[in-house]
Amino acid sequence: MTLKYLITGATGGLGSEVLNYFIASVARSEFAAASSNAANKAAFEDRGIAFRHVNYDDPQSLETGLRDVENLLFVSSSGMRRGEQHARVIEAAKKAGVKHIWYTSLAFGGLEDTSKAPVMQDHLLTEKLLKESGLTYTSIREGVYAECFTVSLDWYPERTGTLTLPADGEVAYTSRAELGEATARIMIQGGYENQKVLLTAQDTITAREIVDIINETTGRQINLELVSRDEYLDAWRRDPRGKPREQFEMVATFWDEIVGGGLRTTHPLLREILGREPTRPADFIRRLLEEDQDYVFRY
C-alpha cells in the first residue's frame, strides 16, 4: 500500500513540528512518522499514528522503511557522519522509488552556495547528491532557529556582567514551530520540484539587540563586549563551566558567517506559505524570556 507522506525525525525539534501540522490537517491514513529508534513505535501507534523504523545508519531499516513512499521528509542528521548518512538515505530512496524528497537544509548563505561555514558543507554536499540522483527533490533551507539564540551568544542564565563575542551582525532568526508548519504546508501543497527554497523570518536582529532584550525582560545587566577572534578563542581557558575550546570555535565560526552576511538574508516565502506575517525575531525572543527568565535552548 502506497504511503503518501513519511516524516523522518518525528521525535526531533523540527520533525515533530511538521508532524503536528500533519496530525491537525491530513487524514492519518496518508502519513506515517519515522524514527531511528524502533522503541518509539508504541508511542506513535498509541496515538493512532502509523510508524516506520528509519535509521540512517541501518541499510535494512532504510530499505523497508522507505518502501512505497511517495513524499519523504528527509530531516538532516547531525554529527561527524552526516555526509555518509545522507548519501545512504538518498541511495535507499532511489532504490525504493520515492517520488519526491523534501530535504531540510540550512539557510547559511541564503539561496547561494557560497557559505564556508563547516556546518553547511554537508548540506551543500547533500543538495549536490540529490541533484545528481535523478530523484525529484526540494531542498528547504530552514532559517536559524530563534530558539537557538542562547547558543550563538553562548549565553546562559548564570552569566552576569560582560558577555564577550568575536563579532556582531544581523541574523534572520526564525521560529522553529513556524518553520515546521511551513515545511508541512509545502509538502502538502506540492511543487518546487528540483529547487532550493528559503524559509526565514522577515526581520533580522543583532546580538546587541538581543542583549538589550535580555536586560529588559529579566532585569539582568549584561554588557556586550566585542573582542578579537583570537581573544575570544582564548577565553576557553577561563570559562567557569569548563567548556572545551571546541565550544568557542563553534561560536566563532557562527559569527564568521554572520559577519560575511550569510545569515541576514530574508525571503517572503515563509510569509506566503503561512498566510500571515512570521514572528519577528525580537518578539519571539522577548516572549521566550518573559515566559522563562532562565531560558536556554535544549537540543
Side-chain angles (χ1 to χ4, degrees):
M1 179 179 175
T2 300
L3 181 66
K4 193 166 185 180
Y5 305 101
L6 180 64
I7 302 161
T8 67
T11 60
L14 181 64
S16 63
E17 296 290 356
V18 174
L19 180 63
N20 286 340
Y21 189 82
F22 270 86
I23 291 170
S25 309
V26 176
R28 298 200 179 191
S29 60
E30 293 191 350
F31 67 89
S35 169
S36 61
N37 186 353
N40 287 322
K41 178 179 180 179
F44 285 108
E45 292 186 344
D46 286 348
R47 298 162 61 194
I49 301 167
F51 176 82
R52 292 194 180 188
H53 178 218
V54 175
N55 186 322
Y56 296 173
D57 289 318
D58 179 359
Q60 182 59 48
S61 78
L62 288 169
E63 179 181 340
T64 57
L66 302 187
R67 189 173 296 156
D68 299 321
V69 171
E70 291 187 7
N71 291 272
L72 171 67
L73 178 67
F74 175 12
V75 174
S76 61
S77 65
S78 60
M80 298 296 292
R81 301 193 316 279
R82 177 161 50 195
E84 173 190 337
Q85 291 171 326
H86 288 188
R88 190 179 295 121
V89 172
I90 292 168
E91 183 61 27
K94 187 173 181 178
K95 288 181 179 178
V98 171
K99 304 301 183 189
H100 194 143
I101 290 181
W102 305 83
Y103 173 65
T104 63
S105 184
L106 285 179
F108 283 64
L111 286 169
E112 302 298 322
D113 297 340
T114 55
S115 174
K116 302 300 181 187
V119 71
M120 190 63 191
Q121 301 315 300
D122 284 336
H123 292 289
L124 293 174
L125 173 60
T126 302
E127 290 176 345
K128 179 175 181 290
L129 292 175
L130 284 167
K131 185 176 182 179
E132 294 173 348
S133 71
L135 289 161
T136 299
Y137 73 93
T138 305
S139 181
I140 306 171
R141 292 195 174 181
E142 313 271 358
V144 177
Y145 299 159
E147 292 86 347
C148 288
F149 80 90
T150 58
V151 177
S152 57
L153 266 64
D154 196 21
W155 182 77
Y156 47 96
E158 297 78 18
R159 190 161 197 162
T160 58
T162 300
L163 171 68
T164 59
L165 287 174
D168 195 3
E170 298 176 69
V171 182
Y173 285 110
T174 309
S175 158
R176 183 167 60 185
E178 291 177 348
L179 288 170
E181 177 184 342
T183 297
R185 284 176 176 267
I186 282 179
M187 290 179 66
I188 295 166
Q189 173 185 318
Y192 304 99
E193 289 91 350
N194 303 321
Q195 295 181 35
K196 293 175 292 189
V197 299
L198 182 63
L199 298 180
T200 71
Q202 304 300 288
D203 304 275
T204 61
I205 194 169
T206 65
R208 194 167 298 280
E209 290 169 333
I210 293 176
V211 168
D212 287 343
I213 292 172
I214 292 172
N215 291 336
E216 291 167 10
T217 56
T218 71
R220 291 177 169 90
Q221 295 183 343
I222 306 295
N223 299 310
L224 176 63
E225 179 183 2
L226 301 182
V227 299
S228 71
R229 198 179 194 281
D230 288 343
E231 186 177 352
Y232 177 77
L233 291 176
D234 193 54
W236 74 273
R237 303 177 189 276
R238 303 178 298 279
D239 184 66
R241 303 163 297 171
K243 292 288 185 179
R245 180 183 171 90
E246 288 75 13
Q247 167 76 14
F248 290 81
E249 290 174 343
M250 182 270 290
V251 173
T253 300
F254 186 84
W255 287 100
D256 290 343
E257 184 79 2
I258 294 170
V259 169
L263 291 173
R264 70 169 176 239
T265 302
T266 62
H267 196 281
L269 183 60
L270 181 61
R271 180 180 61 209
E272 295 167 7
I273 294 295
L274 293 177
R276 63 181 187 271
E277 287 293 328
T279 307
R280 297 175 62 246
D283 294 339
F284 189 91
I285 293 170
R286 186 181 302 277
R287 187 176 70 217
L288 282 179
L289 290 169
E290 286 174 346
E291 294 174 353
D292 181 2
Q293 293 189 355
D294 294 330
Y295 171 80
V296 290
F297 177 71
R298 304 195 186 282
Y299 292 91

